[in-house]
Amino acid sequence: MEPQSQVQSGKSVELTITSPLDLLFNPRSVAIIGATPRENSVGGVITKNLLTKFKGKVYLVNPKYDEVNGTKYYKSVLDVQDEVDLCVIAVPAPAVPKVTDECIRKGAKVTIIISGGFSEVGEEGARLEEELKKVALNRIRVLGPNCIGVYNAFNGLDTFFLPEDRMGRPKPGPLALISQSGAVAGAILDWAARRNIGVGLAVNYGNKLDINEAELLEYLAKDSRIKVIVMYMEGLKYPGEGKKLLDVLREVVGIKPVVVYKAGRTKAASGAVKSHTAALAGNYEIYRAMLRQAGVIEADNLTDAFDMAKALATQPLPRGNRVLVITDSGGMGIQSVDALDTRGLQVPELSESLQEILRKQLPPLAVTRNPIDLTGSATDAMYKFVLDTVLPTSYVDMALIIALMQIPGLTINLGNYIVEARRFNKPIVVVSFGGNEYVAKFERHLEESGIPVYHAPHRAAKALWALYEYAKIKGAIRGWVA
Amino acid sequence: MEPQSQVQSGKSVELTITSPLDLLFNPRSVAIIGATPRENSVGGVITKNLLTKFKGKVYLVNPKYDEVNGTKYYKSVLDVQDEVDLCVIAVPAPAVPKVTDECIRKGAKVTIIISGGFSEVGEEGARLEEELKKVALNRIRVLGPNCIGVYNAFNGLDTFFLPEDRMGRPKPGPLALISQSGAVAGAILDWAARRNIGVGLAVNYGNKLDINEAELLEYLAKDSRIKVIVMYMEGLKYPGEGKKLLDVLREVVGIKPVVVYKAGRTKAASGAVKSHTAALAGNYEIYRAMLRQAGVIEADNLTDAFDMAKALATQPLPRGNRVLVITDSGGMGIQSVDALDTRGLQVPELSESLQEILRKQLPPLAVTRNPIDLTGSATDAMYKFVLDTVLPTSYVDMALIIALMQIPGLTINLGNYIVEARRFNKPIVVVSFGGNEYVAKFERHLEESGIPVYHAPHRAAKALWALYEYAKIKGAIRGWVA
């Protein structure tokens, strides 16, 4: 199979593709070829993951074992009596073509080949990959080889072979991740788990023998549990991939936001990209132009990508770029205006009549112009009053709320007032900064109620910017003008 | 007292100033005017802080009380028999001039006036501030009014009136903070406490009636416990301050690094700066030029400032800009090269002979060019081997080590190898990313051993950049050429 034809196949056989890609994420039954009871080995972690968490049927295949702890092992996948939707292969590279052929004969529609030792290790591996390609072509869809596969928080399908004590698993949620790097994907999921960020689906495609970014995007666009797709990429590999990716991104962006962090931006990094994934980092300006053209939200690093994604997943789109800033710290208010202004968002001065209404209720020290500075004497009730008075007016399109919870006048109840303000159907983000347990509790409460929290004004501003950008993109698509 | 003359006085009376500024941070005895047993009130939190933590003598002054829980209250500071070095004043604004006069008559050399209600609240307050100025001028040095004062982790002097359950207190350490915003200072200390970052001294100067940034900088430059000064500023207030600050910064930077985050950069924020601290945000380009001229390391936000400060406080200065990158994730290696290159730092390809030595010991999949990618098969021993082989050579000036601890081949012991590499006397920073407890333990171990850890490549790269910048600055000062 030539790379060119592989790329083009994505579109032409869409009807038949739908099913294997769906089975990749949502199989009814999985066979693990290379299953093992050996803890912390690649096959061992996958075996444990699927046996303990996967909500479908699991068949273990390894000729070395008959039964371990009451669980049957099959000599070959061909010995399994039931249907097998997905085969996960974690055997040494030389054995992969043979077991893949068995998976095909068993009738499996898709396989995740975890095993490394293919084109990424040099000539001999590349020959093996060619052999594998010949076996698989048009007979079974392949994710990998040399990948960590799929994490599905909804059904417990988890081929990420990093043990739980080293890599936390995020809760189900509206974000999906497509990562060109397995290690980066593992670290992000670990990070997201700790921060209670819901990542429903994650996938790493390794050497990309068959299934590529574009197809994964197409699938994720259709999965209604996913609200935002985050993509980590280093570079494309095959001729024609760029065009295909651009076409697919354009389509997907019309359905849900896509946030992309493209690494390998500098010339200095291009060598490192090549030795990492045999991809071409390419000229970043060309990538950037492509991503913009497609309507993608571009991130500058990984946390940046998730900062924006969590706002895009939870907030309505704004109708303009005017931000109401409420703060209990003048300093944080200033930093927010800097950050918003730098991103092209406005902090409009409120009308004199509106300020008059605010002044009547707020203490004399409060600043009512916008940013509205409630000062260190702020209370929950003042925030509620300002939110309820200003956010519904036509002067502002979204709110950035700074709540430094170090001051004693604020309580966890402020979170309820902020959550209630969602009824105005305008985006709300919160800046909280500190480290004590009370702050953490406040932040958890908000995030669990669908209000994204950021630890710095510039991060919150960037999230609002992403919402505004996506609103413009969607507006353009729907013929709506900001 | 005219602002102009106040500013100039800093230099001319330096000999007499030294003592009060020293007593501001290191008094032998403190009187709290407005002490109270009422929990969570401003005076109450300060009273509790000092009674439980301060290592010197504490005298409580409040005519309302005689004795509470066995602790005596004085009617006036004049009733205290012993010497009083520092008076902390937390009484309603109208009473401040009178009690300040009593502090002077008692012989105190310096006072922290916590009370608000002065020039920041309008004309009446401004008149009160003028009255206070007349009382204090040339008789006692004043920090404030309208400030949260001083936090000294070394001796437990703590006038930050935010209760402990709302604001954690950082452990003693080599960083000092000068903050124009009290709320921002409180939030930073809370954040630093949680992240185990040692902040020895912190100070907020409020309305700056007398003691200003320049004098505080001069004091902190002399305090040998402090290795790096972080400054948060919004704008200057009085004519002539800029020139004085520039002169002092130049001097201080010759002694220890100063990291400044200047907020109020955009025109949009200048109104907010004015209503916050009555300061002039000014043209940011002018500030920026001044800071550069002074040899200050400029930060773009608060965490950025502390990221750089913790490297400057713990690492030796590099002799050049060439960085050794070691990674177990190709993706993170690429991101690091991007970030280093963007900051003007080099990731030089290692010589063929050196790579040959590495190849003999490392597994075939490892990339030896630099970044050195040990891949997901990395072990502690491989990191140690690369560090010991490459870091002492003349090819590199510093090291950025990426350790994604999600892979099972790495253990806490890697931390020991990294700490041992400090013997090569070249800067080392570590990138770790994730969230599980094992990662956290690894990071704590490193930071407690003087190796700064960052959660993203771009943050680590910026820390190395700061070290290189300061090395250049010091080189210029000492006539040393990079």
Side-chain angles (χ1 to χ4, degrees):
Chain A
M1 181 162 66
E2 287 300 303
Q4 193 76 34
S5 64
Q6 184 196 354
V7 167
Q8 290 167 347
S9 72
K11 200 100 190 182
S12 54
V13 287
E14 205 171 16
L15 282 174
T16 58
I17 283 170
T18 311
S19 168
L21 259 288
D22 191 41
L23 293 177
L24 175 67
F25 290 99
N26 306 295
R28 291 156 298 183
S29 58
V30 179
I32 308 170
I33 327 298
T36 163
R38 282 191 298 121
E39 277 190 27
N40 287 351
S41 69
V42 169
V45 174
I46 296 174
T47 303
K48 196 178 163 191
N49 284 346
L50 267 66
L51 282 182
T52 54
K53 299 187 302 183
F54 179 56
K55 288 177 186 159
K57 287 181 195 153
V58 180
Y59 301 102
L60 308 183
V61 178
N62 190 333
K64 278 192 211 157
Y65 305 99
D66 286 319
E67 190 190 295
V68 179
N69 296 329
T71 311
K72 182 176 170 54
Y73 276 74
Y74 295 85
K75 300 291 167 207
S76 156
V77 70
L78 291 169
D79 299 337
V80 176
Q81 298 293 316
D82 300 311
E83 261 187 82
V84 171
D85 285 341
L86 166 69
C87 287
V88 176
I89 296 177
V91 299
V96 170
K98 179 179 165 285
V99 300
T100 303
D101 187 62
E102 290 177 2
C103 292
I104 296 164
R105 281 154 52 204
K106 177 62 199 160
K109 297 288 177 293
V110 58
T111 176
I112 302 175
I113 303 180
I114 303 292
S115 321
F118 292 90
S119 58
E120 81 280 7
V121 302
E123 276 180 43
E124 206 177 322
R127 265 196 303 277
L128 199 58
E129 194 163 313
E130 274 308 308
E131 190 190 328
L132 175 60
K133 222 182 235 176
K134 276 183 200 130
V135 170
L137 181 63
N138 290 330
R139 300 175 70 209
I140 195 167
R141 299 306 312 268
V142 177
L143 185 74
N146 184 35
C147 72
I148 62 171
V150 168
Y151 172 74
N152 182 335
F154 302 111
N155 67 2
L157 177 66
D158 178 359
T159 67
F160 278 36
F161 51 80
L162 306 160
E164 293 255 3
D165 61 340
R166 288 301 182 92
M167 189 201 107
R169 263 65 177 177
K171 65 179 184 185
L175 308 189
L177 171 71
I178 302 177
S179 175
Q180 188 160 11
S181 159
V184 166
I188 293 178
L189 290 202
D190 187 26
W191 172 86
R194 179 65 162 218
R195 277 151 194 81
N196 208 26
I197 296 173
V199 181
L201 299 173
V203 55
N204 161 246
Y205 45 82
N207 292 6
K208 212 165 36 169
L209 177 140
D210 175 17
I211 297 171
N212 60 20
E213 301 93 337
E215 279 183 278
L216 293 167
L217 277 166
E218 277 177 334
Y219 169 75
L220 293 172
K222 287 176 206 153
D223 191 322
S224 62
R225 299 168 300 186
I226 298 305
K227 305 290 179 213
V228 182
I229 302 167
V230 176
M231 210 168 142
Y232 169 71
M233 64 184 293
E234 293 168 4
L236 294 170
K237 223 168 153 176
Y238 300 113
E241 275 192 314
K243 170 77 177 72
K244 170 71 183 166
L245 185 59
L246 175 58
D247 289 346
V248 170
L249 277 171
R250 269 198 183 130
E251 263 178 65
V252 175
V253 161
I255 303 165
K256 55 188 75 170
V258 180
V259 180
V260 174
Y261 169 41
K262 159 77 172 84
R265 296 179 171 193
T266 59
K267 217 176 156 181
S270 59
V273 170
K274 198 154 190 306
S275 37
H276 185 218
T277 47
L280 298 170
N283 183 316
Y284 174 53
E285 288 312 316
I286 293 173
Y287 275 99
R288 177 164 243 177
M290 177 187 88
L291 296 174
R292 283 199 183 154
Q293 213 183 326
V296 157
I297 309 289
E298 213 193 343
D300 284 322
N301 54 65
L302 294 169
T303 41
D304 201 23
F306 278 82
D307 277 354
M308 296 192 282
K310 71 183 187 183
L312 287 162
T314 55
Q315 299 307 298
L317 294 180
R319 293 175 162 275
N321 72 346
R322 299 159 310 159
V323 183
L324 165 67
V325 178
I326 314 177
T327 184
D328 59 346
S329 154
M332 284 288 180
I334 291 162
Q335 295 168 42
S336 300
V337 177
D338 274 345
L340 291 164
D341 185 70
T342 305
R343 294 255 153 225
L345 304 180
Q346 282 183 51
V347 183
E349 192 169 323
L350 299 181
S351 72
E352 190 42 51
S353 58
L354 197 51
Q355 288 193 57
E356 190 53 39
I357 295 169
L358 295 177
R359 272 196 293 267
K360 274 187 188 148
Q361 296 280 332
L362 297 175
L365 283 184
V367 181
T368 54
R369 203 183 304 128
N370 191 21
I372 295 177
D373 182 0
L374 301 173
T375 79
S377 313
T379 62
D380 301 343
M382 291 183 206
Y383 276 88
K384 179 179 162 55
F385 168 66
V386 175
L387 273 171
D388 290 354
T389 309
V390 184
L391 196 53
T393 70
S394 61
Y395 298 108
V396 294
D397 305 300
M398 41 192 161
L400 187 157
I401 303 172
I402 300 149
L404 294 190
M405 295 297 287
Q406 285 78 29
I407 66 166
L410 298 185
T411 76
I412 293 283
N413 194 36
L414 173 56
N416 294 326
Y417 293 148
I418 294 173
V419 172
E420 280 165 22
R422 293 187 65 172
R423 72 185 185 280
F424 301 123
N425 204 28
K426 294 182 178 180
I428 301 173
V429 297
V430 170
V431 173
S432 168
F433 187 52
N436 70 76
E437 196 37 54
Y438 203 78
V439 168
K441 208 170 140 190
F442 172 71
E443 294 176 356
R444 258 196 316 274
H445 170 41
L446 282 171
E447 293 236 318
E448 277 163 14
S449 310
I451 301 281
V453 178
Y454 302 93
H455 292 159
H458 67 279
R459 293 173 67 176
K462 188 143 188 203
L464 289 180
W465 169 83
L467 288 166
Y468 180 61
E469 281 298 298
Y470 191 61
K472 283 198 294 185
I473 290 159
K474 287 285 280 189
I477 288 164
R478 291 182 181 163
W480 172 86
V481 179
Chain B
M1 180 163 65
E2 287 301 301
Q4 194 75 35
S5 65
Q6 183 197 355
V7 167
Q8 288 167 350
S9 71
K11 200 99 191 183
S12 54
V13 288
E14 203 171 19
L15 283 174
T16 58
I17 283 172
T18 312
S19 171
L21 259 288
D22 191 40
L23 294 176
L24 174 67
F25 289 100
N26 306 294
R28 289 155 302 184
S29 57
V30 179
I32 307 169
I33 326 298
T36 166
R38 280 192 299 120
E39 276 191 28
N40 289 351
S41 71
V42 169
V45 174
I46 297 174
T47 303
K48 195 178 164 192
N49 285 345
L50 267 68
L51 283 181
T52 53
K53 299 187 302 184
F54 179 55
K55 289 178 184 158
K57 287 180 195 155
V58 180
Y59 301 104
L60 308 184
V61 179
N62 189 334
K64 281 193 211 155
Y65 304 100
D66 287 319
E67 189 191 294
V68 179
N69 295 331
T71 310
K72 184 177 168 53
Y73 275 74
Y74 296 86
K75 301 288 169 210
S76 155
V77 69
L78 291 167
D79 299 336
V80 177
Q81 299 292 316
D82 301 312
E83 262 187 82
V84 171
D85 285 341
L86 166 69
C87 287
V88 176
I89 297 176
V91 298
V96 170
K98 178 178 167 287
V99 301
T100 303
D101 187 62
E102 290 177 2
C103 292
I104 296 164
R105 281 152 54 204
K106 177 61 199 164
K109 298 288 176 294
V110 59
T111 176
I112 301 174
I113 303 180
I114 303 291
S115 322
F118 293 91
S119 59
E120 80 279 7
V121 301
E123 276 180 42
E124 205 177 321
R127 268 197 301 277
L128 199 59
E129 192 162 312
E130 274 309 308
E131 190 190 329
L132 176 60
K133 221 181 233 178
K134 278 183 198 128
V135 170
L137 181 63
N138 291 330
R139 299 173 72 209
I140 194 166
R141 300 304 312 271
V142 177
L143 184 74
N146 184 33
C147 71
I148 62 170
V150 169
Y151 172 75
N152 183 335
F154 302 111
N155 67 3
L157 176 66
D158 178 359
T159 67
F160 279 36
F161 50 80
L162 305 161
E164 293 255 2
D165 61 341
R166 287 300 182 94
M167 188 200 108
R169 265 63 178 177
K171 66 180 185 185
L175 308 189
L177 171 71
I178 303 176
S179 175
Q180 188 159 8
S181 159
V184 167
I188 293 178
L189 291 201
D190 186 26
W191 173 85
R194 179 64 163 218
R195 276 149 194 82
N196 208 25
I197 296 173
V199 181
L201 299 173
V203 57
N204 160 248
Y205 46 82
N207 292 5
K208 211 163 41 167
L209 177 140
D210 176 17
I211 297 171
N212 60 19
E213 302 92 336
E215 279 184 277
L216 293 166
L217 275 166
E218 275 177 334
Y219 168 76
L220 293 172
K222 286 176 204 151
D223 190 322
S224 61
R225 298 168 300 186
I226 298 305
K227 305 292 178 212
V228 181
I229 303 166
V230 176
M231 210 169 145
Y232 169 71
M233 64 184 294
E234 292 167 5
L236 295 169
K237 222 166 153 175
Y238 301 114
E241 274 192 315
K243 169 79 178 71
K244 171 71 185 166
L245 185 60
L246 175 59
D247 289 347
V248 170
L249 277 172
R250 269 197 182 129
E251 264 178 64
V252 175
V253 162
I255 302 165
K256 58 189 71 169
V258 180
V259 180
V260 174
Y261 169 42
K262 159 78 172 84
R265 296 180 171 191
T266 57
K267 216 175 157 185
S270 59
V273 170
K274 198 153 192 302
S275 37
H276 185 217
T277 48
L280 298 169
N283 183 316
Y284 174 53
E285 288 311 317
I286 294 174
Y287 275 99
R288 176 164 242 179
M290 178 188 89
L291 296 174
R292 282 201 183 153
Q293 212 182 330
V296 157
I297 310 287
E298 212 192 344
D300 286 322
N301 53 66
L302 295 168
T303 42
D304 201 23
F306 279 82
D307 276 353
M308 295 193 281
K310 70 181 187 184
L312 287 161
T314 55
Q315 298 306 299
L317 294 180
R319 292 174 164 275
N321 71 346
R322 298 160 310 162
V323 184
L324 165 66
V325 177
I326 314 177
T327 184
D328 59 346
S329 153
M332 284 287 182
I334 291 162
Q335 295 169 41
S336 299
V337 176
D338 275 344
L340 291 164
D341 185 70
T342 305
R343 293 254 154 227
L345 304 180
Q346 283 182 49
V347 183
E349 191 169 324
L350 299 182
S351 72
E352 191 42 48
S353 58
L354 197 50
Q355 288 194 57
E356 190 52 38
I357 294 168
L358 294 177
R359 273 195 293 267
K360 273 186 189 147
Q361 296 280 332
L362 297 176
L365 283 185
V367 181
T368 55
R369 204 185 302 129
N370 192 22
I372 295 176
D373 182 0
L374 301 172
T375 78
S377 314
T379 62
D380 300 345
M382 291 183 207
Y383 276 88
K384 179 178 162 56
F385 167 67
V386 174
L387 273 172
D388 291 356
T389 308
V390 183
L391 195 53
T393 69
S394 60
Y395 297 107
V396 294
D397 304 301
M398 41 193 161
L400 187 158
I401 303 173
I402 300 147
L404 294 191
M405 296 297 286
Q406 284 78 27
I407 65 166
L410 299 185
T411 77
I412 292 284
N413 193 37
L414 172 58
N416 294 324
Y417 293 148
I418 294 172
V419 172
E420 280 166 21
R422 294 187 65 171
R423 71 185 187 279
F424 303 123
N425 205 30
K426 294 183 177 178
I428 301 173
V429 297
V430 169
V431 173
S432 168
F433 187 53
N436 69 77
E437 196 37 55
Y438 203 80
V439 167
K441 208 170 141 191
F442 172 71
E443 294 175 358
R444 261 196 314 275
H445 170 43
L446 282 171
E447 293 236 318
E448 278 164 13
S449 309
I451 301 281
V453 178
Y454 302 93
H455 292 159
H458 67 279
R459 294 173 67 176
K462 187 142 190 202
L464 290 180
W465 169 83
L467 289 164
Y468 179 61
E469 281 298 296
Y470 191 61
K472 283 197 295 186
I473 290 157
K474 287 287 278 190
I477 287 163
R478 292 182 179 163
W480 171 86
V481 179

